[in-house]
Amino acid sequence: MSGRPEGRAGPCTFDPDAVDLRALDRAHLAALHRQRPDDLRVVGYGEVSLAFAWPPRAPTVVAKSLPPFADGARLRSYEALLEEYLGVLAARGVAVLPTAVRAVADRTRPRAYVLQPWVAPERIGPTVLAAADTERGADLLREVVANVLRASDDQVGIDGQVSNWALVDGRLHYLDVSTPMLRDAAGRDRLDTAPFAAAVPWLLRWPVERFVAPALLAPYHDARRVLLDTAGNLLRERLAHWLPALLEHANPHLGAPLTIPEVQRFYRGNARAWSALQALRRADRAWQRHVRRRPYGFLLPTSYRR
Ligand SMILES: Nc1ncnc2c1ncn2[C@@H]1O[C@H](COP(=O)(O)OP(=O)(O)O)[C@@H](O)[C@H]1O
Ligand SMILES: [Mg+2]
């Protein structure tokens, strides 16, 4: 992708073209085939995409699998939208990890990956926060809040959860960009959610595209809702002791301040909803594999931490 300082990518050297994409793709497909990561070095199980460090023994990049695109044109429009999203975030003062899209030509449909420099686990948000002293942790949370306030409005969305930030060269960098949340002037999501909707049980696909996808994306366009989610996620990450500091930085900017009971209620509701979705996905996987005898295109986490 153009417009990003690839190669000399700010904090880390990053050369997406040096990646042996075929080997990476083969390893990913083999893991899907086994339905077990084994030697694939998984760093994140997303709802839609799997993030894994590559090459496994001495990682230089993280690859995030994208859902299959029907054709090259659809992949190119995704890539253009992602590029635009990266530009918008940068223009709003959010530092973003260098990001590129690379695809393997498949006989039928391109299989594409979002590539970023690999960041060591001790520099990813939750680990940084777990190890931080009071002052440093409060600084980081202030930075998260400031980024969310700058980047979430009707046009642009961002996911503030601490797991979406990496501390590189002393500065938080946003990494969760593979769902570019941009809307047009009429308020419609510009992302074509059809390929992404394939990650949920097929019975739900139609309503997901039509109704659920916009509803899933909408919260990321509202700063208060993003910060509520960021706060709730601290509970999931066993970082509840940082909740007061987050609220202290967030609340002066919000019309209605967030309270700890509100965050706790929100977290409990969310945990139930995601557990239900995961159970549904596991049931769908069993159906696809054992009844329909079709390969299942995703790796599911073995358990959901709440
Ligand atoms: N460039 C990276 N280097 C190291 N770890 C990463 C990187 N990108 C993502 N991760 C890990 O994978 C997790 C999921 O990636 P993310 O882009 O946030 O996708 P998701 O949409 O699934 O949340 C992150 O929370 C982080 O722990
Ligand atoms: Mg994330």
Side-chain angles (χ1 to χ4, degrees), residues 224 247 250-252 254-259 262:
R224 186 178 191 279
L247 298 194
N251 280 341
L254 303 177
L258 295 168
T259 64
E262 180 186 7

Side-chain angles (χ1 to χ4, degrees), residues 7 11 74 86 91 105 114 124 139 160 172 211 226 231 245 271-272 279 290 304:
R74 287 204 173 77
L86 298 173
V114 168
I124 302 290
D139 282 348
L172 283 185
F211 303 111
V226 175
R272 272 195 300 275
H290 305 304
Y304 175 79

Side-chain angles (χ1 to χ4, degrees), residues 14-25 52 54-55 60-63 100 102 104 113 115-117:
F14 174 56
D15 180 4
D17 293 315
V19 176
D20 184 349
L21 205 64
R22 293 200 168 274
L24 177 157
D25 182 56
F52 55 96
W54 185 266
T60 56
V61 295
V62 161
R102 290 293 180 273
V104 177
Y113 297 88
L115 300 178
Q116 290 176 332

Side-chain angles (χ1 to χ4, degrees), residues 19-306:
V19 176
D20 184 349
L21 205 64
R22 293 200 168 274
L24 177 157
D25 182 56
R26 269 198 307 275
H28 176 225
L29 288 184
L32 288 182
H33 186 73
R34 290 190 305 268
Q35 281 293 303
R36 275 200 323 266
D38 291 346
D39 44 4
L40 199 68
R41 193 156 161 181
V42 174
V43 295
Y45 288 95
E47 292 316 313
V48 183
S49 98
L50 185 74
F52 55 96
W54 185 266
R57 277 171 211 288
T60 56
V61 295
V62 161
K64 302 175 189 182
S65 62
L66 288 170
F69 291 91
D71 50 45
R74 287 204 173 77
L75 169 60
R76 281 190 295 281
S77 52
Y78 168 81
E79 215 176 320
L81 190 69
L82 174 57
E83 179 76 15
E84 196 179 323
Y85 184 56
L86 298 173
V88 167
L89 290 178
R92 292 184 174 210
V94 179
V96 184
L97 274 193
T99 302
V101 175
R102 290 293 180 273
V104 177
D106 189 276
R107 253 173 314 171
T108 47
R109 306 189 281 189
R111 267 197 315 280
Y113 297 88
V114 168
L115 300 178
Q116 290 176 332
W118 176 72
V119 178
E122 59 271 21
R123 290 192 283 145
I124 302 290
T127 324
V128 174
L129 210 49
D133 63 23
T134 312
E135 201 182 328
R136 183 80 186 111
D139 282 348
L140 292 172
L141 292 171
R142 188 184 308 115
E143 217 178 317
V144 169
V145 170
N147 280 326
V148 168
L149 294 171
R150 283 196 293 261
S152 55
D153 60 19
D154 287 344
Q155 248 65 60
V156 185
I158 192 167
D159 180 343
Q161 298 190 354
V162 290
S163 59
N164 292 331
W165 303 91
L167 189 62
V168 180
D169 283 352
R171 185 165 181 209
L172 283 185
H173 286 64
Y174 189 60
L175 54 80
D176 192 349
V177 292
S178 38
T179 308
M181 293 189 271
L182 293 176
R183 285 180 177 158
D184 64 18
R188 281 182 302 251
D189 297 310
R190 291 177 57 197
L191 179 71
D192 173 11
T193 51
F196 292 83
V200 299
W202 65 272
L203 265 177
L204 289 177
R205 255 174 232 169
W206 180 78
V208 163
E209 272 171 54
R210 193 59 207 290
F211 303 111
V212 183
L216 282 177
L217 296 176
Y220 299 103
H221 290 271
D222 174 59
R224 186 178 191 279
R225 184 56 169 67
V226 175
L227 292 168
L228 174 60
D229 180 60
T230 306
N233 184 253
L234 288 178
L235 304 181
R236 177 175 170 194
E237 299 277 5
R238 310 286 191 261
L239 293 167
H241 51 292
W242 287 109
L243 197 50
L246 179 67
L247 298 194
E248 187 188 320
H249 292 301
N251 280 341
H253 306 281
L254 303 177
L258 295 168
T259 64
I260 290 182
E262 180 186 7
V263 173
Q264 287 168 333
R265 269 197 312 277
F266 175 82
Y267 164 70
R268 282 195 297 269
N270 242 4
R272 272 195 300 275
W274 286 118
S275 301
L277 180 61
Q278 289 306 330
L280 215 54
R281 293 186 73 192
R282 279 193 292 275
D284 180 50
R285 175 172 67 173
W287 167 258
Q288 300 287 344
R289 294 181 72 203
H290 305 304
V291 182
R292 306 298 304 275
R293 307 245 169 240
R294 290 201 292 226
Y296 188 69
F298 306 91
L299 274 192
L300 302 180
T302 45
S303 68
Y304 175 79
R305 184 154 68 119
R306 352 195 205 168

